Amino acid sequence: MAKKTGVQENRGYTQTDDFITRTHILPLLIDKKKRKELLDEHKNNPIGQPGCNGRAGIQHSEDLQRVIDKFRRRAMAGKYVRICKTPHKDYRIGIVSGVRGKPVKILTKPYPSEDACEHEIFKKRVNDLLKEYGYK
């Protein structure tokens, strides 16, 4: 069997993403004080607030936005998503299979709001990334 090429293995993307993660994301997350600041900021405003009735929107800080963008670039397989079981009452975390047509695995713990669920997903993503790179 022929050895796969760098293009077939998507090395350009994966190596660039790894460099960005090591250079710009991990320093924010391995510093416990900075990580707590980011987690607190996210907890207070997990999805951002659009402007309304002449008020300015509340956006995330540059550092938090950088971390969130990193998580958005992840492959679909194994990605955490918010599932609404009962509007305004019961939200769950789902794990995407990455295979079209295969159902999302829904975890059992309920969350009372979209924001609470989104924040728990963010914490799981932070912990998973730190473990992936040998921290924590």
Side-chain angles (χ1 to χ4, degrees):
M1 182 194 242
K3 187 177 176 184
K4 287 188 174 183
T5 67
V7 171
Q8 290 169 320
E9 291 180 348
N10 202 17
R11 270 190 245 147
Y13 171 79
T14 55
Q15 290 177 355
T16 300
D17 186 61
D18 180 63
F19 173 79
I20 291 168
T21 300
R22 290 178 188 278
T23 306
H24 301 289
I25 305 302
L26 287 176
L28 299 171
L29 299 178
I30 60 177
D31 177 332
K32 289 182 180 182
K33 181 180 176 192
K34 184 64 175 175
R35 180 171 63 222
K36 182 178 180 342
E37 288 174 12
L38 292 173
L39 287 169
D40 289 346
E41 178 186 351
H42 189 273
K43 184 175 184 176
N44 292 328
N45 185 18
I47 58 174
Q49 298 294 322
C52 181
N53 294 331
R55 292 180 311 191
I58 303 169
Q59 301 301 316
H60 295 125
S61 68
E62 189 175 314
D63 287 340
L64 179 57
Q65 190 60 54
R66 187 176 292 130
V67 174
I68 291 171
D69 286 346
K70 161 65 182 166
F71 295 147
R72 287 181 179 149
R73 289 192 309 269
R74 302 290 289 217
M76 283 304 292
K79 194 175 239 184
Y80 299 113
V81 294
R82 181 183 71 224
I83 305 291
C84 177
K85 296 286 278 184
T86 307
H88 312 292
K89 285 186 188 176
D90 184 358
Y91 296 88
R92 308 282 174 99
I93 296 174
I95 302 173
V96 177
S97 70
V99 177
R100 180 173 289 224
K102 189 171 180 185
V104 172
K105 178 183 175 189
I106 301 174
L107 304 181
T108 57
K109 183 175 179 185
Y111 297 92
S113 68
E114 292 179 16
D115 287 354
C117 190
E118 284 294 335
H119 184 61
E120 191 61 32
I121 289 170
F122 181 75
K123 291 189 317 188
K124 284 180 171 295
R125 288 175 175 167
V126 167
N127 290 330
D128 288 354
L129 184 69
L130 289 171
K131 285 179 193 171
E132 180 183 334
Y133 280 87
Y135 295 95
K136 209 170 183 199

